[in-house]
Amino acid sequence: MGLMDETEIGAFLAVRRHTEAICSNLTPEDQCIQSMPDASPAKWHRAHTTWFFEQFILAPHMDGYKTFSPEFSYLFNSYYETVGARHPRFARGMITRPSTDHVTEYRAHVDAAMAEFIGSGRASSALLALGLQHEQQHQELMMTDVLHAFAQNPLAPAMIPAWCPPSPSTLADEFIVFEGGIVNIGHDSQRFAFDNEGPSHRSLLAPYRLANRLVRNRAWLAFIAAGGYTTPTLWMSEGWAAAQENGWNAPLYWRKTDDRWTVFTPGGERPIDLDEPVRHVSWYEADAFARWSDARLPTEFEWEAASEDPRITEREGHVWQWTASAYLPYPGFRPVAGAIGEYNGKFMINQMVLRGGSMATPPGHTRPTYRNFFHPDRRWQFTGLRLALDL
Amino acid sequence: MGLMDETEIGAFLAVRRHTEAICSNLTPEDQCIQSMPDASPAKWHRAHTTWFFEQFILAPHMDGYKTFSPEFSYLFNSYYETVGARHPRFARGMITRPSTDHVTEYRAHVDAAMAEFIGSGRASSALLALGLQHEQQHQELMMTDVLHAFAQNPLAPAMIPAWCPPSPSTLADEFIVFEGGIVNIGHDSQRFAFDNEGPSHRSLLAPYRLANRLVRNRAWLAFIAAGGYTTPTLWMSEGWAAAQENGWNAPLYWRKTDDRWTVFTPGGERPIDLDEPVRHVSWYEADAFARWSDARLPTEFEWEAASEDPRITEREGHVWQWTASAYLPYPGFRPVAGAIGEYNGKFMINQMVLRGGSMATPPGHTRPTYRNFFHPDRRWQFTGLRLALDL
Amino acid sequence: MGLMDETEIGAFLAVRRHTEAICSNLTPEDQCIQSMPDASPAKWHRAHTTWFFEQFILAPHMDGYKTFSPEFSYLFNSYYETVGARHPRFARGMITRPSTDHVTEYRAHVDAAMAEFIGSGRASSALLALGLQHEQQHQELMMTDVLHAFAQNPLAPAMIPAWCPPSPSTLADEFIVFEGGIVNIGHDSQRFAFDNEGPSHRSLLAPYRLANRLVRNRAWLAFIAAGGYTTPTLWMSEGWAAAQENGWNAPLYWRKTDDRWTVFTPGGERPIDLDEPVRHVSWYEADAFARWSDARLPTEFEWEAASEDPRITEREGHVWQWTASAYLPYPGFRPVAGAIGEYNGKFMINQMVLRGGSMATPPGHTRPTYRNFFHPDRRWQFTGLRLALDL
Amino acid sequence: MGLMDETEIGAFLAVRRHTEAICSNLTPEDQCIQSMPDASPAKWHRAHTTWFFEQFILAPHMDGYKTFSPEFSYLFNSYYETVGARHPRFARGMITRPSTDHVTEYRAHVDAAMAEFIGSGRASSALLALGLQHEQQHQELMMTDVLHAFAQNPLAPAMIPAWCPPSPSTLADEFIVFEGGIVNIGHDSQRFAFDNEGPSHRSLLAPYRLANRLVRNRAWLAFIAAGGYTTPTLWMSEGWAAAQENGWNAPLYWRKTDDRWTVFTPGGERPIDLDEPVRHVSWYEADAFARWSDARLPTEFEWEAASEDPRITEREGHVWQWTASAYLPYPGFRPVAGAIGEYNGKFMINQMVLRGGSMATPPGHTRPTYRNFFHPDRRWQFTGLRLALDL
């Protein structure tokens, strides 16, 4: 066993342990429920990420690997049509059995086999990396899905009582000028990237300005006070309809009691901190806020071209940043063959790109080329915005 | 403390223990989920029945009683408008906390206080009886709600692995003749009855015939084979629409694999037993079956007038029996004053009466005057039918 | 041709002309639209009533009768499963063609054939009577459906500009005492009645009191002012849910502008007349009002037993009167054989009985035994109430 | 009055007459109904386009202009929040009054005022052009909306009995190579264009190939035969869900009877012509077809850059061509001030761009820079596709 393999085993186990750490305060019940069709139970995330290794690495490639439980493929396949029938997404909260403990055993079984298989030197590094990146994505979803589930409980329990948000930048707001021109977009290096980050290609940008930091709660309160949620002309037509239908008058998880705003966080209900970047806003709200500010959202290309500039702060670790770009394939994009090819390509419609990374994203998971994507009305992720301007 | 009180304490503790016994095989996750808006989690049933004693007996009547947790009234009030705001019914499955253990503590806290209060001789026997009858009703709902939840799991787990259905009657089918005339309907004795069973009153019946036993699975298979589910003229118009919309082609929980029918039971998936009374049919199906049989459902008055006749078997302990009677107030019915008056009266619309009692009903819970009621499209209870004929 | 036939031809033509008279102010567009699934376009009513004569009398019984247009059976069959496929109910408003004029030709074609066939003496009097009673029922539905359609138009046009409501009784409110006992219910004479009015049978009533006249708008305004629409304990549970979901705060078609209530009528928008019987209330509202009044709705049997008493005024010609009775078959009821048997029986679930007759009912159409029925949440008919009390 | 004004009056009247010509076969009923929320009645289109001239030109700019009917602004405002309250979109089919004739009078009233105002030389040419282009857009919607309404009628009437589709290209299929590079996109000339066509800007394209003609019915039948509608991996995830939910197995308006496919057209039901470009397909279907063809949809920029090349045939006059581009603002796009600014900008989310022009588009209405847009699941427009390939 060489150094590489040791590193790979270490990396594998570290990611797997991090998943368990996120759940350390969760009861079996907390891990079981599904609070909306978009969310999944924590137990399901724990099992599904395990199934991914079993399905795509161990079962096809490791001689003599014994599947933990044949029924799990039906239960824990997320959306891979190529792999066979699967439990309907909206019914994931009905799976009281296998129990939390049984899923823990499943994880141990697969961990042991993976450690052995990585140790044997025959594991594909590319597939292993994909499995780990995949699990990191689900670590973030576990945070946001459990937060949503806890928010449905009138007792407003804290999923991580000691939770603290990251410290925001203390710089003054400033718009940084960028020249634009022909820039390279997308991923071309040897390190891991998702298929949707490539092919690397050139893009032509007009000169633009980009805010050095994220929009704050202070500004959002001003937007609310100025009638941002009651002025239809600030909004996309469908955004206005969504706001009316859902009764939006503030970001998700904000609540006003006696003229005091609070926000529900992983640490429970907390007063609004004016200096924190706003989070849990939909693209529609971000877009309306930008219009009210006489600004706009940046395109994902503007964001990426500026992302290495040290004057651009809060690039990651706070909130995912909505962009003005629809989630579309890059020129020349072709999904890889087989089930793994269902990973990103089949979602390239009706969603908007977010860039950066949030406080719920595992450290080191993202890159400047990383493309996250959600529908424009979704708010349960840690989503915020950074403003841009034409020159 | 006199004999009566000892008996009351004993009765109280027996009912309370029975609730726990039903849940003895259930994991915390099993007790937490809600598989449809009509159903409630087992944990919720356990807490709600406890809250009932706390809300209506201990808090108003026992000096110095200390409420276990002030938030529980919001969480575990079912539908009593008079008592204050409550958690929405459809969101009962979101209550991962309080945990199962916490609810067990809640039950112990209330049990201890109730034992002391009953022992003091100051507890209202009427309220105590109501609380116990109420808990027995929820014992049945726990069975049917958990069965429904387990049925959503593709693993089809057994909630009570050793479960066996009661032995059916082995008599031959026969229609018993009844003279009708003026009969007494409803409850008038000194023993406990729900408010909807009274006032006792006279009713005039034409002569009729009533089947000595319940409709069997054998007959139901004949109904299926004869096109019962594909012949609209056998059905009420809204029943036919419900059957089409929901794709009914057999009772709930029936499944056909390779020409073999099985049914999902508390003991897991089992082959159909031709001699068992059919269960999990809606009123619409029962009504269509009766029409196909050139018979009809009995009215609840015909059922009650015949119920003491020893030739009428399977009166209880198998399935609730749909009647031809809409659930309406008896002449002179007035709900009792206060929140307790919300118990039965406000549901007297759009539902049909069932008589008898099922295998999930706690022994001794029902009476010949007992009126159960459900909407005509519901199937998750243990519901079947007995045929009647005009003379 | 004897006197009977002449009378029958006269009766036939009079009913047919009355249908046309109701539509005399309606444009082709007015006759075409369908404002909700429960309603049908006026043109459809005109064609469907015509199809009824063609389908059940002319086609099967008149030698050499030539069907006007074979496609019309598909278009204008309402719900007769026995008769073949039919256009879906909710899509009746899509039938711009055949045009209004074409339907007028259809009516003329069938009228001529019917006149000839009646004149020949070979027409079944029973079927003819059924066809005419059927058309009279649709005359009332035309009124209520067109009123509903016009109410959707912000211009609030008047379907009958000169329309006036009937004069209400000027008696003082009084409760008339009835002894009850065994009474005869249902129809047994030689004259026409619908199948659901029989068999005639005996019913046992406790003594009761019945209001001599209908509930007025004045009383309804007091109910509103007393918080009738905001007090859940006055309502059936499902009624309260319906009121909340639909935002009910007054009868249908009532509108408040600057503290003045108006009501939309066939004559357009009019001020509320305090002395008129209230109309366009659901069963849920009627039931809540009765409870607020410390009274109740009468059963349909109480209503029928009292209906010939001259002290009971406003029996018909104002509003249909909700009763406390669910719409169920009478003892011994069997639908007649064939498609005609689908007339009433298959709707005997989930609906409540109304008695009397409304200002939209053709004069002479109803009887004391007449049973109308609607779901308890429906409000677009001319529906009101009369109170009852236990003795 | 100068030559220019005469031309403008002529152009104005020509467009207005063309609207009436489209409706010449429609009855008042045909013009009144709304067959789905996305569609509007023909009468509404005729009135709304008239209101546009009244609201934005005559009322604010022509001295002494007398509004035809003050209520019409409420009824016939489409979506301009700035202009005031409006009738809900889904209820446009409820407007039986004003009648068709009344709307014809409205058109005459506005036509006369417009002719006078244009003649006076004081009418803004820009606003006039916008009003005419706007009316031309509605001419196309009238065609597609009425076609959809007629398709709901089981009689399948022809809205234009003599209708014939345009002759398709007879060239062989060929992919034309384009170099890409930096191209100019968008409108910059002095002639009319919609705001969403600008600002003109440069875009960088990789080399690509574009089909010389549109995809045919012949190819679509091969797609169907090859299982295109039953192979999930060909589809976007949401496209597959839409196909399943709506039961798509062919383009809209296609119907198979005894192994023969027909399509419902403005001329009624016609056999499929294998050589015609396919129409009435959603973006989802177009995208799946392209994937099945080992090709892709072109971006709107590729389309525009190639559109002047004479080898690219069927650019317009057949079907709108779905592109791979989401409908987004061009760099530097700012809506114009005021209500007119609500024209295009507020719809720039969740829709895909179509280029070209269809057989229902008024001749001369479109340009190479013209951007049409619809949601990816919509099929009632004349929509098809042209394939592209990477080089």
Side-chain angles (χ1 to χ4, degrees):
Chain A
M1 190 195 303
L3 184 63
M4 172 65 95
D5 296 332
E6 267 177 42
T7 306
E8 281 191 333
I9 290 177
F12 175 80
L13 294 176
V15 167
R16 298 286 286 171
R17 274 192 297 264
H18 187 58
T19 298
E20 299 301 286
I22 292 170
C23 296
S24 57
N25 289 304
L26 302 183
T27 67
E29 291 109 312
D30 292 340
Q31 293 196 33
C32 185
I33 68 166
Q34 178 176 32
S35 56
M36 63 168 171
D38 277 342
S40 296
K43 183 171 71 180
W44 189 92
H45 284 298
R46 291 173 61 227
H48 164 69
T49 49
T50 304
W51 167 85
F52 193 94
F53 288 110
E54 185 176 63
Q55 173 73 35
F56 295 119
I57 298 184
L58 295 176
H61 300 303
M62 184 183 184
D63 288 343
Y65 175 73
K66 190 169 172 320
T67 297
F68 182 74
S69 173
E71 293 144 332
F72 282 16
S73 188
Y74 180 82
L75 287 175
F76 300 123
N77 175 4
S78 52
Y79 55 66
Y80 297 87
E81 303 272 359
T82 320
V83 167
R86 63 192 184 280
H87 192 60
R89 177 174 187 129
F90 64 84
R92 289 177 184 166
M94 295 297 105
I95 307 304
T96 64
R97 305 183 186 192
S99 68
T100 302
D101 286 348
H102 201 180
V103 166
T104 300
E105 288 166 32
Y106 181 35
R107 290 183 65 87
H109 174 89
V110 165
D111 284 354
M114 283 295 296
E116 182 187 334
F117 191 48
I118 298 171
S120 76
R122 275 171 297 128
S124 149
S125 292
L127 280 176
L128 176 61
L130 181 62
L132 293 178
Q133 297 284 334
H134 171 259
E135 182 143 349
Q136 288 188 310
Q137 291 183 306
H138 280 276
Q139 287 168 358
E140 176 150 11
L141 293 175
M142 278 174 65
M143 286 285 291
T144 56
D145 290 357
V146 172
L147 183 63
H148 189 269
F150 276 39
Q152 311 310 307
N153 191 329
L155 306 183
M159 62 181 283
I160 304 172
W163 178 86
C164 277
S167 298
S169 160
T170 55
L171 294 174
D173 282 325
E174 189 187 356
F175 278 93
I176 313 296
V177 174
F178 293 91
E179 295 296 318
I182 290 179
V183 297
N184 287 315
I185 294 294
H187 199 274
D188 60 357
S189 84
Q190 299 305 77
R191 294 177 48 222
F192 176 85
F194 284 113
D195 59 354
N196 65 0
E197 298 173 53
S200 174
H201 63 285
R202 297 184 309 152
S203 181
L204 178 58
L205 303 182
Y208 63 102
R209 289 183 290 165
L210 192 65
N212 65 329
R213 52 180 220 162
L214 302 171
V215 169
R216 262 61 188 153
N217 286 334
R218 178 177 284 107
W220 206 271
L221 283 166
F223 173 66
I224 294 173
Y229 282 95
T230 56
T231 307
T233 48
L234 291 173
W235 294 68
M236 285 289 159
S237 182
E238 295 187 12
W240 180 247
Q244 298 316 293
E245 188 178 329
N246 299 298
W248 293 347
N249 63 356
L252 181 65
Y253 300 142
W254 285 37
R255 203 158 61 93
K256 197 178 192 175
T257 320
D258 304 333
D259 279 337
R260 248 182 90 254
W261 283 103
T262 53
V263 58
F264 186 67
T265 76
E269 196 138 9
R270 304 271 176 91
I272 291 286
D273 179 337
L274 298 180
D275 292 316
E276 269 185 34
V278 68
R279 55 183 188 260
H280 300 302
V281 295
S282 63
W283 185 91
Y284 291 131
E285 289 162 288
D287 171 71
F289 178 91
R291 193 166 291 110
W292 174 74
S293 306
D294 281 323
R296 60 174 173 84
L297 298 177
T299 67
E300 62 169 320
F301 313 112
E302 291 171 336
W303 193 100
E304 183 172 329
S307 65
E308 309 278 19
D309 190 298
R311 294 170 298 174
I312 298 298
T313 68
E314 300 176 332
R315 203 200 73 190
E316 63 184 9
H318 296 270
V319 291
W320 287 100
Q321 297 151 54
W322 287 110
T323 72
S325 297
Y327 180 46
L328 296 172
Y330 283 169
F333 172 77
R334 299 292 291 265
V336 299
I340 294 293
E342 296 187 50
Y343 204 88
N344 278 308
K346 73 182 184 181
F347 302 108
M348 289 178 169
I349 186 70
N350 290 335
Q351 311 209 40
M352 297 302 282
V353 172
L354 301 102
R355 291 298 192 106
S358 86
M359 57 183 73
T361 313
H365 177 65
T366 66
R367 296 160 290 283
T369 59
Y370 197 100
R371 305 172 82 198
N372 200 352
F373 48 92
F374 282 96
H375 291 87
D377 61 347
R378 300 308 200 273
R379 318 206 296 171
W380 93 110
Q381 298 297 309
F382 291 80
T383 45
L385 71 154
R386 179 189 302 276
L387 296 176
L389 288 169
D390 297 325
L391 197 57
Chain B
M1 192 195 302
L3 184 63
M4 172 67 96
D5 297 332
E6 267 178 40
T7 305
E8 282 192 333
I9 289 177
F12 174 80
L13 294 175
V15 168
R16 297 286 286 171
R17 273 193 298 263
H18 188 57
T19 298
E20 298 301 287
I22 292 170
C23 298
S24 57
N25 289 304
L26 302 183
T27 67
E29 291 108 313
D30 293 339
Q31 293 196 32
C32 186
I33 68 166
Q34 178 177 32
S35 56
M36 65 169 168
D38 277 342
S40 296
K43 183 172 72 180
W44 188 92
H45 284 299
R46 292 172 63 225
H48 164 69
T49 49
T50 304
W51 167 85
F52 193 93
F53 288 109
E54 186 175 64
Q55 173 73 34
F56 295 118
I57 298 184
L58 296 175
H61 301 302
M62 184 183 184
D63 287 344
Y65 175 73
K66 190 169 172 321
T67 297
F68 182 74
S69 174
E71 293 143 333
F72 281 16
S73 188
Y74 180 84
L75 287 176
F76 300 123
N77 175 2
S78 52
Y79 54 67
Y80 296 88
E81 303 272 358
T82 321
V83 166
R86 65 192 182 279
H87 192 60
R89 176 171 188 132
F90 64 85
R92 288 178 184 164
M94 295 297 104
I95 306 306
T96 63
R97 305 184 185 191
S99 69
T100 302
D101 287 348
H102 201 181
V103 166
T104 300
E105 289 167 30
Y106 180 36
R107 290 182 66 88
H109 174 90
V110 166
D111 284 354
M114 283 296 296
E116 181 187 335
F117 190 49
I118 298 171
S120 76
R122 275 172 295 129
S124 151
S125 291
L127 279 176
L128 176 59
L130 180 63
L132 293 178
Q133 298 284 335
H134 171 259
E135 181 142 349
Q136 288 188 309
Q137 293 182 306
H138 280 276
Q139 288 167 357
E140 176 151 9
L141 293 175
M142 278 174 64
M143 285 286 290
T144 56
D145 291 357
V146 172
L147 183 64
H148 189 269
F150 275 40
Q152 312 310 307
N153 191 328
L155 306 184
M159 63 180 283
I160 304 172
W163 179 86
C164 278
S167 298
S169 161
T170 55
L171 295 173
D173 282 324
E174 190 186 354
F175 278 93
I176 313 297
V177 174
F178 293 90
E179 296 296 319
I182 289 179
V183 297
N184 287 316
I185 294 295
H187 199 274
D188 61 356
S189 84
Q190 300 303 78
R191 293 176 50 219
F192 176 85
F194 284 113
D195 59 354
N196 64 0
E197 298 173 52
S200 174
H201 63 284
R202 297 184 308 153
S203 182
L204 177 58
L205 302 182
Y208 63 101
R209 290 183 287 164
L210 192 64
N212 65 330
R213 51 179 221 163
L214 303 171
V215 169
R216 263 60 188 151
N217 286 333
R218 178 177 284 107
W220 206 270
L221 283 166
F223 173 66
I224 294 173
Y229 282 95
T230 55
T231 307
T233 47
L234 291 173
W235 295 68
M236 286 287 159
S237 182
E238 295 187 12
W240 180 247
Q244 299 314 296
E245 189 179 327
N246 298 299
W248 293 346
N249 63 355
L252 182 64
Y253 301 143
W254 285 37
R255 204 158 60 93
K256 197 177 193 176
T257 319
D258 303 333
D259 278 337
R260 248 181 92 256
W261 282 103
T262 54
V263 58
F264 186 66
T265 76
E269 196 138 11
R270 302 269 177 93
I272 292 286
D273 178 339
L274 298 180
D275 292 315
E276 270 185 33
V278 68
R279 53 183 189 261
H280 301 302
V281 296
S282 63
W283 185 92
Y284 290 132
E285 289 162 287
D287 171 72
F289 178 92
R291 193 166 292 109
W292 174 75
S293 306
D294 280 323
R296 60 173 174 83
L297 298 177
T299 68
E300 62 169 321
F301 312 111
E302 290 171 337
W303 193 100
E304 183 172 329
S307 65
E308 309 279 16
D309 190 299
R311 295 170 297 175
I312 299 297
T313 68
E314 301 175 332
R315 205 200 72 192
E316 62 185 11
H318 296 270
V319 292
W320 287 99
Q321 297 151 54
W322 287 110
T323 73
S325 298
Y327 181 46
L328 296 172
Y330 283 168
F333 172 78
R334 297 293 291 263
V336 301
I340 294 294
E342 297 187 50
Y343 203 89
N344 277 308
K346 72 180 183 182
F347 302 109
M348 290 178 168
I349 186 72
N350 291 335
Q351 312 209 39
M352 299 302 283
V353 173
L354 302 104
R355 291 298 192 107
S358 85
M359 57 184 73
T361 314
H365 176 64
T366 66
R367 294 159 293 283
T369 59
Y370 198 99
R371 307 174 80 198
N372 201 353
F373 47 92
F374 282 97
H375 291 88
D377 61 347
R378 298 309 199 273
R379 319 205 296 169
W380 93 111
Q381 298 298 308
F382 291 80
T383 46
L385 71 155
R386 178 190 302 277
L387 296 176
L389 287 169
D390 296 326
L391 197 56
Chain C
M1 191 194 304
L3 184 62
M4 172 66 96
D5 296 333
E6 266 179 41
T7 304
E8 281 191 334
I9 289 177
F12 174 80
L13 294 175
V15 168
R16 299 284 287 170
R17 273 192 298 264
H18 186 58
T19 299
E20 298 301 287
I22 291 169
C23 297
S24 58
N25 288 305
L26 302 183
T27 67
E29 291 109 313
D30 293 339
Q31 293 196 33
C32 186
I33 68 165
Q34 178 177 32
S35 57
M36 63 168 170
D38 278 342
S40 295
K43 183 172 71 180
W44 188 91
H45 285 298
R46 293 174 61 226
H48 164 69
T49 48
T50 305
W51 166 85
F52 193 94
F53 289 110
E54 186 175 62
Q55 173 73 33
F56 295 117
I57 298 183
L58 296 175
H61 300 300
M62 184 183 185
D63 288 343
Y65 174 73
K66 191 169 171 320
T67 296
F68 182 73
S69 173
E71 293 143 333
F72 281 17
S73 188
Y74 180 83
L75 288 175
F76 299 123
N77 175 3
S78 51
Y79 55 68
Y80 296 88
E81 303 273 358
T82 321
V83 167
R86 62 193 183 279
H87 192 60
R89 176 173 187 131
F90 64 83
R92 289 177 183 165
M94 295 297 105
I95 307 304
T96 63
R97 304 182 185 193
S99 69
T100 302
D101 287 349
H102 201 182
V103 166
T104 301
E105 288 167 30
Y106 180 37
R107 291 182 65 88
H109 174 88
V110 166
D111 284 354
M114 283 295 297
E116 182 186 336
F117 190 50
I118 298 170
S120 75
R122 277 173 294 129
S124 150
S125 291
L127 279 176
L128 176 60
L130 181 63
L132 293 178
Q133 296 285 335
H134 172 259
E135 181 142 349
Q136 287 187 311
Q137 293 183 306
H138 280 276
Q139 287 167 357
E140 176 150 9
L141 293 175
M142 278 174 64
M143 285 286 290
T144 57
D145 291 356
V146 171
L147 182 64
H148 189 269
F150 275 40
Q152 311 311 307
N153 191 329
L155 305 183
M159 63 180 283
I160 305 172
W163 178 86
C164 278
S167 298
S169 159
T170 55
L171 295 172
D173 282 325
E174 188 186 356
F175 279 93
I176 312 297
V177 174
F178 293 91
E179 296 296 320
I182 289 180
V183 297
N184 288 315
I185 294 295
H187 199 274
D188 61 357
S189 85
Q190 301 303 78
R191 294 176 49 220
F192 176 86
F194 284 113
D195 58 355
N196 64 359
E197 297 174 54
S200 174
H201 63 285
R202 296 183 309 153
S203 182
L204 177 58
L205 302 182
Y208 64 102
R209 291 183 286 166
L210 192 65
N212 66 329
R213 52 179 220 163
L214 302 171
V215 169
R216 261 61 188 150
N217 287 333
R218 178 178 284 107
W220 206 271
L221 283 166
F223 173 67
I224 294 173
Y229 282 95
T230 55
T231 306
T233 48
L234 292 173
W235 294 68
M236 285 288 161
S237 182
E238 294 187 13
W240 180 248
Q244 299 314 295
E245 189 179 327
N246 299 299
W248 292 347
N249 63 355
L252 182 64
Y253 301 142
W254 284 37
R255 203 157 61 92
K256 196 176 193 176
T257 318
D258 303 333
D259 280 336
R260 249 182 90 256
W261 284 102
T262 53
V263 57
F264 186 66
T265 75
E269 196 137 12
R270 302 271 176 90
I272 293 286
D273 179 339
L274 298 180
D275 292 316
E276 270 185 32
V278 67
R279 55 184 186 260
H280 301 303
V281 295
S282 64
W283 185 91
Y284 290 132
E285 290 161 288
D287 171 72
F289 178 91
R291 192 165 293 111
W292 174 76
S293 305
D294 281 324
R296 60 173 174 84
L297 299 177
T299 67
E300 62 169 322
F301 313 111
E302 291 170 338
W303 193 100
E304 183 172 330
S307 65
E308 309 278 16
D309 190 299
R311 294 169 298 175
I312 299 298
T313 68
E314 300 175 334
R315 205 198 70 191
E316 62 184 12
H318 297 270
V319 291
W320 287 100
Q321 296 150 55
W322 287 110
T323 73
S325 298
Y327 180 47
L328 295 172
Y330 283 168
F333 172 77
R334 298 292 293 264
V336 301
I340 294 293
E342 297 186 50
Y343 203 87
N344 277 308
K346 72 181 184 184
F347 302 109
M348 290 178 171
I349 186 70
N350 291 334
Q351 311 209 42
M352 298 302 284
V353 172
L354 302 102
R355 292 298 193 105
S358 86
M359 57 184 72
T361 313
H365 176 65
T366 66
R367 294 160 293 282
T369 59
Y370 197 100
R371 305 173 82 199
N372 201 351
F373 49 92
F374 282 97
H375 290 88
D377 62 346
R378 301 306 201 272
R379 319 206 297 171
W380 93 111
Q381 298 297 308
F382 290 80
T383 46
L385 71 155
R386 177 189 303 276
L387 296 176
L389 288 170
D390 297 325
L391 198 55
Chain D
M1 192 196 302
L3 185 60
M4 172 67 94
D5 296 332
E6 269 179 38
T7 305
E8 281 191 334
I9 290 177
F12 174 81
L13 294 176
V15 168
R16 299 284 285 170
R17 274 192 297 263
H18 186 58
T19 299
E20 299 301 287
I22 292 169
C23 298
S24 57
N25 289 305
L26 302 183
T27 66
E29 291 109 313
D30 293 340
Q31 293 196 33
C32 185
I33 68 164
Q34 179 177 32
S35 56
M36 63 168 171
D38 278 342
S40 296
K43 182 171 73 178
W44 188 91
H45 285 298
R46 292 173 61 226
H48 164 70
T49 48
T50 305
W51 167 84
F52 194 94
F53 287 110
E54 186 176 62
Q55 173 72 34
F56 295 118
I57 298 184
L58 296 175
H61 299 302
M62 185 185 185
D63 288 344
Y65 174 73
K66 192 170 170 321
T67 296
F68 182 73
S69 174
E71 294 143 332
F72 281 18
S73 188
Y74 180 83
L75 288 175
F76 299 123
N77 175 4
S78 52
Y79 55 66
Y80 296 87
E81 303 272 358
T82 322
V83 167
R86 63 192 183 279
H87 192 60
R89 175 171 188 133
F90 64 83
R92 289 177 183 165
M94 295 297 105
I95 306 304
T96 63
R97 304 182 185 193
S99 69
T100 302
D101 287 348
H102 200 180
V103 166
T104 300
E105 288 167 31
Y106 180 35
R107 290 183 65 88
H109 174 89
V110 166
D111 283 354
M114 282 296 295
E116 181 186 334
F117 190 49
I118 298 170
S120 76
R122 276 173 295 130
S124 150
S125 291
L127 279 176
L128 176 59
L130 180 62
L132 293 178
Q133 296 284 334
H134 171 258
E135 182 143 349
Q136 288 187 311
Q137 293 182 306
H138 280 276
Q139 287 168 358
E140 175 150 12
L141 293 176
M142 279 174 64
M143 286 285 291
T144 56
D145 291 356
V146 171
L147 182 63
H148 188 269
F150 276 39
Q152 312 311 307
N153 191 328
L155 306 184
M159 64 179 284
I160 305 172
W163 178 87
C164 278
S167 299
S169 159
T170 54
L171 293 174
D173 281 324
E174 188 186 357
F175 278 94
I176 313 296
V177 174
F178 293 90
E179 296 296 319
I182 291 179
V183 297
N184 287 316
I185 295 295
H187 198 274
D188 61 356
S189 84
Q190 299 304 77
R191 294 175 50 219
F192 176 85
F194 284 113
D195 58 355
N196 64 1
E197 299 173 52
S200 174
H201 62 284
R202 297 184 308 153
S203 182
L204 177 57
L205 302 182
Y208 63 102
R209 291 183 288 165
L210 192 64
N212 66 329
R213 53 180 219 162
L214 302 172
V215 169
R216 260 65 186 150
N217 287 334
R218 177 176 285 107
W220 206 271
L221 284 167
F223 174 65
I224 294 173
Y229 282 95
T230 55
T231 307
T233 47
L234 291 174
W235 295 67
M236 285 288 160
S237 182
E238 294 187 13
W240 180 247
Q244 298 316 294
E245 189 179 329
N246 299 298
W248 292 347
N249 63 357
L252 182 65
Y253 300 142
W254 284 37
R255 202 158 61 93
K256 196 176 191 174
T257 319
D258 304 333
D259 280 336
R260 248 182 89 256
W261 283 102
T262 54
V263 57
F264 186 67
T265 76
E269 195 137 10
R270 303 270 176 94
I272 292 286
D273 180 337
L274 298 180
D275 292 316
E276 269 185 34
V278 67
R279 53 184 188 261
H280 300 303
V281 294
S282 64
W283 185 91
Y284 290 131
E285 289 162 288
D287 171 70
F289 178 92
R291 193 166 293 110
W292 174 75
S293 307
D294 280 323
R296 61 173 174 83
L297 299 177
T299 67
E300 63 168 321
F301 313 111
E302 290 171 337
W303 193 100
E304 183 172 330
S307 65
E308 308 278 17
D309 190 300
R311 294 170 298 175
I312 300 297
T313 67
E314 299 175 332
R315 203 200 74 191
E316 63 184 10
H318 296 271
V319 291
W320 286 100
Q321 297 150 55
W322 286 110
T323 73
S325 298
Y327 181 46
L328 295 172
Y330 283 169
F333 173 76
R334 298 294 290 265
V336 300
I340 294 293
E342 297 187 50
Y343 203 89
N344 277 308
K346 74 181 182 181
F347 302 108
M348 289 178 171
I349 187 70
N350 291 334
Q351 312 209 41
M352 298 302 283
V353 172
L354 302 103
R355 290 300 192 105
S358 85
M359 56 184 72
T361 313
H365 177 64
T366 67
R367 296 160 290 283
T369 59
Y370 198 99
R371 306 174 79 198
N372 200 352
F373 48 92
F374 282 96
H375 291 86
D377 61 346
R378 300 309 200 272
R379 318 207 296 172
W380 94 109
Q381 298 297 309
F382 291 80
T383 46
L385 71 155
R386 177 190 302 276
L387 296 176
L389 287 169
D390 296 325
L391 198 57

